[in-house]
Amino acid sequence: MTDTQLDSPIVATVPFDKDGIHHGFLRLPYSRDDSAWGSIMIPLTVVRNGEGPTALLTGGNHGDEYEGPVALFGLAQELDPLDVSGCVIIVPAMNYPAFRAATRTSPIDRGNMNRIFPGRPDGTVTEKIADYFQRVLLPMCDIVLDFHSGGKTLDFIPFAAAHVLPDPVQEEKCFSAVKAFGAPYSLKMVEIDSRGMFDTAIEEMGKVFVTTELGGGGTVSARTAEIARQGVRNVLRHVGILAGEVVTSPTQWLDMPGDESFVFAEQDGLLEMCVDLEASVKKGQTIARIHTIDRTGVAPTRILAPCDGILIARHFPGLIKMGDCVASFGVVIEDL
């Protein structure tokens, strides 16, 4: 658990409680060989105007996922405080060392930001950043939108998502915000392991939380960038921070049937996908083959769909290792 007796070493260079637009940094002291009194400077924008809800908008939780940074660096430049009722806190690249290195985890301590909450004020660099979000930023907020995509190793259909929660009122608020986001797909999401996640930290505080998976492959497309840009403004309109109506777009709701949502490789090899993203599949259908690469004349291993549904995610690189997620599936449901 976080030691609340210790203050965070991170300092915001802009105020959170003053009206106007303020561009600055979260400054984390980081002494290293090339800079004895150095700091990690995480870009930050705070836009406040009078009373109203507070939204925390984050991207770059994983450093090789780019739709969030594209949308949020743009939003920080475009927002007019006079159009805001309440407060918007924008952190386009939450795990800034990973973002600069174009890696999923931090090059400094190999920390995975989305598996390290609640963090520690006296821990590693990644733990210190997580602790600041846990103890300083999250308590300020009413709603959090955290952008994700597949990074270099996965590719997703473009969806916004929230989790099934024990509190039905909180759950309904989260799924209402997902619907407002307006992605082509909306998902009742199941995690492989939710311990240490930013998502879990937010939800345990009773906050409204929306996340996304918008493509992948370690790049950003024009389509997914536009989904992110429109989605973040829709969420801000939905909670009343921005005026105007939500720009409605058709969305297909999906559920994830627990452990049957995922298929993992049981060998190394060359991955051949037999169906593409968004394809409908039947249980037992061959969705991929893994070819042995250390000799010829060996039949490939077939990867079978564990359930009826549609393919919502796939391993992206051509080579796959034992234990890698091959694919993930969703089941079409009615609008929530």
Side-chain angles (χ1 to χ4, degrees):
M1 295 295 290
T2 299
D3 184 351
T4 55
Q5 302 306 307
L6 296 175
D7 291 333
S8 172
I10 294 177
V11 176
T13 66
V14 297
F16 293 104
D17 58 353
K18 293 183 180 179
D19 282 358
I21 185 165
H22 308 278
H23 302 293
F25 302 93
L26 299 174
R27 185 178 65 82
L28 169 59
Y30 174 49
S31 179
R32 55 194 189 272
D33 289 343
D34 64 343
S35 185
W37 284 5
S39 295
I40 295 168
M41 307 292 281
I42 303 170
L44 167 72
T45 292
V46 180
V47 186
R48 176 177 285 278
N49 185 28
E51 299 299 317
T54 295
L56 173 61
L57 311 175
T58 56
N61 187 320
H62 295 129
D64 60 350
E65 302 173 3
Y66 298 110
E67 282 80 2
V70 164
L72 296 181
F73 276 113
L75 186 70
Q77 180 183 357
E78 297 160 2
L79 268 187
D80 185 335
L82 296 179
D83 295 331
V84 169
S85 297
C87 183
V88 182
I89 302 170
I90 304 172
V91 186
M94 186 177 175
N95 193 342
Y96 193 63
F99 175 72
R100 290 297 299 265
T103 54
R104 179 176 177 85
T105 62
S106 173
I108 297 172
D109 56 18
R110 308 320 309 177
N112 182 338
M113 182 67 72
N114 214 27
R115 301 294 186 274
I116 211 164
F117 276 81
R120 290 174 52 195
D122 59 348
T124 67
V125 163
T126 308
E127 288 174 324
K128 289 174 180 177
I129 297 171
D131 169 75
Y132 185 86
F133 275 79
Q134 176 87 29
R135 291 197 293 142
V136 179
L137 293 185
L138 290 185
M140 299 181 188
C141 302
D142 301 293
I143 184 169
V144 181
L145 170 57
D146 184 39
F147 282 101
H148 286 265
S149 58
K152 294 176 181 176
T153 64
L154 290 170
D155 196 13
F156 285 89
I157 63 173
F159 65 76
H163 299 99
V164 176
L165 299 173
D167 180 351
V169 175
Q170 181 188 7
E171 178 184 285
E172 192 279 329
K173 290 179 180 178
C174 293
F175 282 121
S176 292
V178 167
K179 184 174 182 179
F181 185 96
Y185 294 90
S186 297
L187 187 68
K188 295 175 65 177
M189 198 168 189
V190 173
E191 301 290 350
I192 297 172
D193 181 6
S194 64
R195 287 170 292 186
M197 294 186 72
F198 187 39
D199 315 33
T200 305
I202 297 162
E203 291 161 350
E204 287 180 346
M205 289 187 184
K207 311 290 184 176
V208 177
F209 175 68
V210 178
T211 189
T212 71
E213 296 289 358
L214 301 174
T219 188
V220 58
S221 69
R223 180 194 183 201
T224 54
E226 183 56 30
I227 292 169
R229 289 191 187 98
Q230 178 171 291
V232 65
R233 288 183 174 273
N234 274 344
V235 169
L236 294 177
R237 294 184 186 108
H238 172 72
V239 298
I241 291 176
L242 289 181
E245 298 295 322
V246 170
V247 180
T248 57
S249 301
T251 189
Q252 175 65 70
W253 280 90
L254 303 170
D255 196 4
M256 296 180 74
D259 290 344
E260 288 191 343
S261 300
F262 304 95
V263 178
F264 297 91
E266 297 184 1
Q267 67 184 81
D268 296 354
L270 172 64
L271 179 65
E272 175 196 0
M273 295 301 300
C274 301
V275 296
D276 289 325
L277 293 178
E278 303 184 85
S280 296
V281 299
K282 295 291 185 182
K283 183 175 181 178
Q285 177 182 341
T286 299
I287 57 104
R289 290 189 282 261
I290 298 178
H291 297 266
T292 299
I293 58 174
D294 55 0
R295 65 179 63 234
T296 59
V298 178
T301 299
R302 295 190 304 142
I303 306 299
L304 307 180
C307 60
D308 294 350
I310 70 168
L311 187 66
I312 65 172
R314 54 152 292 187
H315 184 78
F316 189 77
L319 296 181
I320 195 165
K321 295 179 180 178
M322 181 184 294
D324 288 349
C325 183
V326 178
S328 182
F329 303 86
V331 176
V332 174
I333 57 174
E334 295 299 319
D335 189 333
L336 295 183

mmCIF file with all atom_site columns, all heavy atoms in Angstrom, residues 220-236:
data_model
loop_
_atom_site.group_PDB
_atom_site.id
_atom_site.type_symbol
_atom_site.label_atom_id
_atom_site.label_alt_id
_atom_site.label_comp_id
_atom_site.label_asym_id
_atom_site.label_entity_id
_atom_site.label_seq_id
_atom_site.pdbx_PDB_ins_code
_atom_site.Cartn_x
_atom_site.Cartn_y
_atom_site.Cartn_z
_atom_site.occupancy
_atom_site.B_iso_or_equiv
_atom_site.pdbx_formal_charge
_atom_site.auth_seq_id
_atom_site.auth_comp_id
_atom_site.auth_asym_id
_atom_site.auth_atom_id
_atom_site.pdbx_PDB_model_num
ATOM 1   N N   . VAL A 1 220 ? -0.621  5.181  -35.470 1.00 0.00 ? 220 VAL A N   1
ATOM 2   C CA  . VAL A 1 220 ? -1.961  5.749  -35.385 1.00 0.00 ? 220 VAL A CA  1
ATOM 3   C C   . VAL A 1 220 ? -2.451  6.020  -36.803 1.00 0.00 ? 220 VAL A C   1
ATOM 4   O O   . VAL A 1 220 ? -1.689  6.492  -37.642 1.00 0.00 ? 220 VAL A O   1
ATOM 5   C CB  . VAL A 1 220 ? -1.976  7.032  -34.525 1.00 0.00 ? 220 VAL A CB  1
ATOM 6   C CG1 . VAL A 1 220 ? -1.040  8.083  -35.079 1.00 0.00 ? 220 VAL A CG1 1
ATOM 7   C CG2 . VAL A 1 220 ? -3.374  7.594  -34.394 1.00 0.00 ? 220 VAL A CG2 1
ATOM 8   N N   . SER A 1 221 ? -3.704  5.695  -37.060 1.00 0.00 ? 221 SER A N   1
ATOM 9   C CA  . SER A 1 221 ? -4.286  5.931  -38.378 1.00 0.00 ? 221 SER A CA  1
ATOM 10  C C   . SER A 1 221 ? -5.152  7.179  -38.337 1.00 0.00 ? 221 SER A C   1
ATOM 11  O O   . SER A 1 221 ? -5.549  7.658  -37.265 1.00 0.00 ? 221 SER A O   1
ATOM 12  C CB  . SER A 1 221 ? -5.134  4.728  -38.808 1.00 0.00 ? 221 SER A CB  1
ATOM 13  O OG  . SER A 1 221 ? -6.304  4.624  -38.014 1.00 0.00 ? 221 SER A OG  1
ATOM 14  N N   . ALA A 1 222 ? -5.481  7.703  -39.515 1.00 0.00 ? 222 ALA A N   1
ATOM 15  C CA  . ALA A 1 222 ? -6.381  8.858  -39.589 1.00 0.00 ? 222 ALA A CA  1
ATOM 16  C C   . ALA A 1 222 ? -7.728  8.523  -38.972 1.00 0.00 ? 222 ALA A C   1
ATOM 17  O O   . ALA A 1 222 ? -8.325  9.348  -38.262 1.00 0.00 ? 222 ALA A O   1
ATOM 18  C CB  . ALA A 1 222 ? -6.549  9.295  -41.046 1.00 0.00 ? 222 ALA A CB  1
ATOM 19  N N   . ARG A 1 223 ? -8.213  7.288  -39.197 1.00 0.00 ? 223 ARG A N   1
ATOM 20  C CA  . ARG A 1 223 ? -9.516  6.891  -38.663 1.00 0.00 ? 223 ARG A CA  1
ATOM 21  C C   . ARG A 1 223 ? -9.512  6.869  -37.141 1.00 0.00 ? 223 ARG A C   1
ATOM 22  O O   . ARG A 1 223 ? -10.399 7.445  -36.497 1.00 0.00 ? 223 ARG A O   1
ATOM 23  C CB  . ARG A 1 223 ? -9.893  5.501  -39.198 1.00 0.00 ? 223 ARG A CB  1
ATOM 24  C CG  . ARG A 1 223 ? -11.251 5.002  -38.699 1.00 0.00 ? 223 ARG A CG  1
ATOM 25  C CD  . ARG A 1 223 ? -11.433 3.526  -38.959 1.00 0.00 ? 223 ARG A CD  1
ATOM 26  N NE  . ARG A 1 223 ? -12.755 3.078  -38.542 1.00 0.00 ? 223 ARG A NE  1
ATOM 27  C CZ  . ARG A 1 223 ? -13.070 1.810  -38.271 1.00 0.00 ? 223 ARG A CZ  1
ATOM 28  N NH1 . ARG A 1 223 ? -12.131 0.864  -38.378 1.00 0.00 ? 223 ARG A NH1 1
ATOM 29  N NH2 . ARG A 1 223 ? -14.290 1.472  -37.889 1.00 0.00 ? 223 ARG A NH2 1
ATOM 30  N N   . THR A 1 224 ? -8.513  6.219  -36.552 1.00 0.00 ? 224 THR A N   1
ATOM 31  C CA  . THR A 1 224 ? -8.518  6.086  -35.095 1.00 0.00 ? 224 THR A CA  1
ATOM 32  C C   . THR A 1 224 ? -8.207  7.417  -34.407 1.00 0.00 ? 224 THR A C   1
ATOM 33  O O   . THR A 1 224 ? -8.723  7.687  -33.320 1.00 0.00 ? 224 THR A O   1
ATOM 34  C CB  . THR A 1 224 ? -7.537  4.998  -34.635 1.00 0.00 ? 224 THR A CB  1
ATOM 35  O OG1 . THR A 1 224 ? -6.230  5.256  -35.176 1.00 0.00 ? 224 THR A OG1 1
ATOM 36  C CG2 . THR A 1 224 ? -8.010  3.622  -35.091 1.00 0.00 ? 224 THR A CG2 1
ATOM 37  N N   . ALA A 1 225 ? -7.382  8.263  -35.043 1.00 0.00 ? 225 ALA A N   1
ATOM 38  C CA  . ALA A 1 225 ? -7.125  9.587  -34.469 1.00 0.00 ? 225 ALA A CA  1
ATOM 39  C C   . ALA A 1 225 ? -8.402  10.406 -34.406 1.00 0.00 ? 225 ALA A C   1
ATOM 40  O O   . ALA A 1 225 ? -8.672  11.091 -33.411 1.00 0.00 ? 225 ALA A O   1
ATOM 41  C CB  . ALA A 1 225 ? -6.057  10.314 -35.283 1.00 0.00 ? 225 ALA A CB  1
ATOM 42  N N   . GLU A 1 226 ? -9.216  10.323 -35.454 1.00 0.00 ? 226 GLU A N   1
ATOM 43  C CA  . GLU A 1 226 ? -10.468 11.084 -35.474 1.00 0.00 ? 226 GLU A CA  1
ATOM 44  C C   . GLU A 1 226 ? -11.470 10.528 -34.466 1.00 0.00 ? 226 GLU A C   1
ATOM 45  O O   . GLU A 1 226 ? -12.196 11.294 -33.808 1.00 0.00 ? 226 GLU A O   1
ATOM 46  C CB  . GLU A 1 226 ? -11.075 11.065 -36.872 1.00 0.00 ? 226 GLU A CB  1
ATOM 47  C CG  . GLU A 1 226 ? -12.349 11.891 -37.022 1.00 0.00 ? 226 GLU A CG  1
ATOM 48  C CD  . GLU A 1 226 ? -12.182 13.344 -36.616 1.00 0.00 ? 226 GLU A CD  1
ATOM 49  O OE1 . GLU A 1 226 ? -11.063 13.889 -36.763 1.00 0.00 ? 226 GLU A OE1 1
ATOM 50  O OE2 . GLU A 1 226 ? -13.171 13.944 -36.132 1.00 0.00 ? 226 GLU A OE2 1
ATOM 51  N N   . ILE A 1 227 ? -11.510 9.202  -34.299 1.00 0.00 ? 227 ILE A N   1
ATOM 52  C CA  . ILE A 1 227 ? -12.373 8.610  -33.265 1.00 0.00 ? 227 ILE A CA  1
ATOM 53  C C   . ILE A 1 227 ? -11.978 9.147  -31.892 1.00 0.00 ? 227 ILE A C   1
ATOM 54  O O   . ILE A 1 227 ? -12.835 9.494  -31.068 1.00 0.00 ? 227 ILE A O   1
ATOM 55  C CB  . ILE A 1 227 ? -12.275 7.079  -33.304 1.00 0.00 ? 227 ILE A CB  1
ATOM 56  C CG1 . ILE A 1 227 ? -12.905 6.536  -34.586 1.00 0.00 ? 227 ILE A CG1 1
ATOM 57  C CG2 . ILE A 1 227 ? -12.965 6.454  -32.079 1.00 0.00 ? 227 ILE A CG2 1
ATOM 58  C CD1 . ILE A 1 227 ? -12.621 5.063  -34.838 1.00 0.00 ? 227 ILE A CD1 1
ATOM 59  N N   . ALA A 1 228 ? -10.670 9.226  -31.624 1.00 0.00 ? 228 ALA A N   1
ATOM 60  C CA  . ALA A 1 228 ? -10.194 9.718  -30.341 1.00 0.00 ? 228 ALA A CA  1
ATOM 61  C C   . ALA A 1 228 ? -10.546 11.189 -30.144 1.00 0.00 ? 228 ALA A C   1
ATOM 62  O O   . ALA A 1 228 ? -11.006 11.592 -29.063 1.00 0.00 ? 228 ALA A O   1
ATOM 63  C CB  . ALA A 1 228 ? -8.681  9.515  -30.234 1.00 0.00 ? 228 ALA A CB  1
ATOM 64  N N   . ARG A 1 229 ? -10.339 12.001 -31.164 1.00 0.00 ? 229 ARG A N   1
ATOM 65  C CA  . ARG A 1 229 ? -10.630 13.438 -31.058 1.00 0.00 ? 229 ARG A CA  1
ATOM 66  C C   . ARG A 1 229 ? -12.111 13.689 -30.784 1.00 0.00 ? 229 ARG A C   1
ATOM 67  O O   . ARG A 1 229 ? -12.477 14.484 -29.911 1.00 0.00 ? 229 ARG A O   1
ATOM 68  C CB  . ARG A 1 229 ? -10.216 14.152 -32.341 1.00 0.00 ? 229 ARG A CB  1
ATOM 69  C CG  . ARG A 1 229 ? -8.730  14.277 -32.570 1.00 0.00 ? 229 ARG A CG  1
ATOM 70  C CD  . ARG A 1 229 ? -8.435  15.219 -33.716 1.00 0.00 ? 229 ARG A CD  1
ATOM 71  N NE  . ARG A 1 229 ? -7.017  15.219 -34.056 1.00 0.00 ? 229 ARG A NE  1
ATOM 72  C CZ  . ARG A 1 229 ? -6.488  14.515 -35.059 1.00 0.00 ? 229 ARG A CZ  1
ATOM 73  N NH1 . ARG A 1 229 ? -7.259  13.770 -35.828 1.00 0.00 ? 229 ARG A NH1 1
ATOM 74  N NH2 . ARG A 1 229 ? -5.188  14.581 -35.283 1.00 0.00 ? 229 ARG A NH2 1
ATOM 75  N N   . GLN A 1 230 ? -12.965 13.035 -31.552 1.00 0.00 ? 230 GLN A N   1
ATOM 76  C CA  . GLN A 1 230 ? -14.403 13.232 -31.356 1.00 0.00 ? 230 GLN A CA  1
ATOM 77  C C   . GLN A 1 230 ? -14.855 12.646 -30.035 1.00 0.00 ? 230 GLN A C   1
ATOM 78  O O   . GLN A 1 230 ? -15.681 13.230 -29.322 1.00 0.00 ? 230 GLN A O   1
ATOM 79  C CB  . GLN A 1 230 ? -15.192 12.600 -32.502 1.00 0.00 ? 230 GLN A CB  1
ATOM 80  C CG  . GLN A 1 230 ? -16.702 12.734 -32.346 1.00 0.00 ? 230 GLN A CG  1
ATOM 81  C CD  . GLN A 1 230 ? -17.442 12.289 -33.583 1.00 0.00 ? 230 GLN A CD  1
ATOM 82  O OE1 . GLN A 1 230 ? -17.383 12.927 -34.623 1.00 0.00 ? 230 GLN A OE1 1
ATOM 83  N NE2 . GLN A 1 230 ? -18.151 11.164 -33.472 1.00 0.00 ? 230 GLN A NE2 1
ATOM 84  N N   . GLY A 1 231 ? -14.292 11.485 -29.671 1.00 0.00 ? 231 GLY A N   1
ATOM 85  C CA  . GLY A 1 231 ? -14.712 10.809 -28.449 1.00 0.00 ? 231 GLY A CA  1
ATOM 86  C C   . GLY A 1 231 ? -14.437 11.616 -27.197 1.00 0.00 ? 231 GLY A C   1
ATOM 87  O O   . GLY A 1 231 ? -15.281 11.694 -26.295 1.00 0.00 ? 231 GLY A O   1
ATOM 88  N N   . VAL A 1 232 ? -13.261 12.243 -27.112 1.00 0.00 ? 232 VAL A N   1
ATOM 89  C CA  . VAL A 1 232 ? -12.937 12.991 -25.893 1.00 0.00 ? 232 VAL A CA  1
ATOM 90  C C   . VAL A 1 232 ? -13.845 14.203 -25.759 1.00 0.00 ? 232 VAL A C   1
ATOM 91  O O   . VAL A 1 232 ? -14.310 14.533 -24.659 1.00 0.00 ? 232 VAL A O   1
ATOM 92  C CB  . VAL A 1 232 ? -11.439 13.376 -25.864 1.00 0.00 ? 232 VAL A CB  1
ATOM 93  C CG1 . VAL A 1 232 ? -11.076 14.347 -26.969 1.00 0.00 ? 232 VAL A CG1 1
ATOM 94  C CG2 . VAL A 1 232 ? -11.080 13.954 -24.497 1.00 0.00 ? 232 VAL A CG2 1
ATOM 95  N N   . ARG A 1 233 ? -14.149 14.873 -26.852 1.00 0.00 ? 233 ARG A N   1
ATOM 96  C CA  . ARG A 1 233 ? -15.075 16.012 -26.777 1.00 0.00 ? 233 ARG A CA  1
ATOM 97  C C   . ARG A 1 233 ? -16.487 15.542 -26.431 1.00 0.00 ? 233 ARG A C   1
ATOM 98  O O   . ARG A 1 233 ? -17.202 16.226 -25.688 1.00 0.00 ? 233 ARG A O   1
ATOM 99  C CB  . ARG A 1 233 ? -15.059 16.789 -28.087 1.00 0.00 ? 233 ARG A CB  1
ATOM 100 C CG  . ARG A 1 233 ? -13.760 17.587 -28.280 1.00 0.00 ? 233 ARG A CG  1
ATOM 101 C CD  . ARG A 1 233 ? -13.792 18.416 -29.546 1.00 0.00 ? 233 ARG A CD  1
ATOM 102 N NE  . ARG A 1 233 ? -12.610 19.274 -29.633 1.00 0.00 ? 233 ARG A NE  1
ATOM 103 C CZ  . ARG A 1 233 ? -12.511 20.483 -29.106 1.00 0.00 ? 233 ARG A CZ  1
ATOM 104 N NH1 . ARG A 1 233 ? -13.537 20.993 -28.432 1.00 0.00 ? 233 ARG A NH1 1
ATOM 105 N NH2 . ARG A 1 233 ? -11.401 21.202 -29.241 1.00 0.00 ? 233 ARG A NH2 1
ATOM 106 N N   . ASN A 1 234 ? -16.885 14.393 -26.958 1.00 0.00 ? 234 ASN A N   1
ATOM 107 C CA  . ASN A 1 234 ? -18.200 13.853 -26.604 1.00 0.00 ? 234 ASN A CA  1
ATOM 108 C C   . ASN A 1 234 ? -18.316 13.583 -25.110 1.00 0.00 ? 234 ASN A C   1
ATOM 109 O O   . ASN A 1 234 ? -19.347 13.867 -24.482 1.00 0.00 ? 234 ASN A O   1
ATOM 110 C CB  . ASN A 1 234 ? -18.459 12.558 -27.379 1.00 0.00 ? 234 ASN A CB  1
ATOM 111 C CG  . ASN A 1 234 ? -19.041 12.800 -28.753 1.00 0.00 ? 234 ASN A CG  1
ATOM 112 O OD1 . ASN A 1 234 ? -19.533 13.886 -29.055 1.00 0.00 ? 234 ASN A OD1 1
ATOM 113 N ND2 . ASN A 1 234 ? -18.989 11.786 -29.600 1.00 0.00 ? 234 ASN A ND2 1
ATOM 114 N N   . VAL A 1 235 ? -17.270 13.017 -24.515 1.00 0.00 ? 235 VAL A N   1
ATOM 115 C CA  . VAL A 1 235 ? -17.300 12.723 -23.081 1.00 0.00 ? 235 VAL A CA  1
ATOM 116 C C   . VAL A 1 235 ? -17.383 14.021 -22.277 1.00 0.00 ? 235 VAL A C   1
ATOM 117 O O   . VAL A 1 235 ? -18.134 14.113 -21.293 1.00 0.00 ? 235 VAL A O   1
ATOM 118 C CB  . VAL A 1 235 ? -16.072 11.882 -22.673 1.00 0.00 ? 235 VAL A CB  1
ATOM 119 C CG1 . VAL A 1 235 ? -15.943 11.803 -21.154 1.00 0.00 ? 235 VAL A CG1 1
ATOM 120 C CG2 . VAL A 1 235 ? -16.183 10.474 -23.259 1.00 0.00 ? 235 VAL A CG2 1
ATOM 121 N N   . LEU A 1 236 ? -16.636 15.039 -22.689 1.00 0.00 ? 236 LEU A N   1
ATOM 122 C CA  . LEU A 1 236 ? -16.699 16.321 -21.982 1.00 0.00 ? 236 LEU A CA  1
ATOM 123 C C   . LEU A 1 236 ? -18.080 16.971 -22.122 1.00 0.00 ? 236 LEU A C   1
ATOM 124 O O   . LEU A 1 236 ? -18.577 17.605 -21.178 1.00 0.00 ? 236 LEU A O   1
ATOM 125 C CB  . LEU A 1 236 ? -15.608 17.259 -22.501 1.00 0.00 ? 236 LEU A CB  1
ATOM 126 C CG  . LEU A 1 236 ? -14.168 16.831 -22.208 1.00 0.00 ? 236 LEU A CG  1
ATOM 127 C CD1 . LEU A 1 236 ? -13.185 17.804 -22.839 1.00 0.00 ? 236 LEU A CD1 1
ATOM 128 C CD2 . LEU A 1 236 ? -13.918 16.715 -20.708 1.00 0.00 ? 236 LEU A CD2 1
#
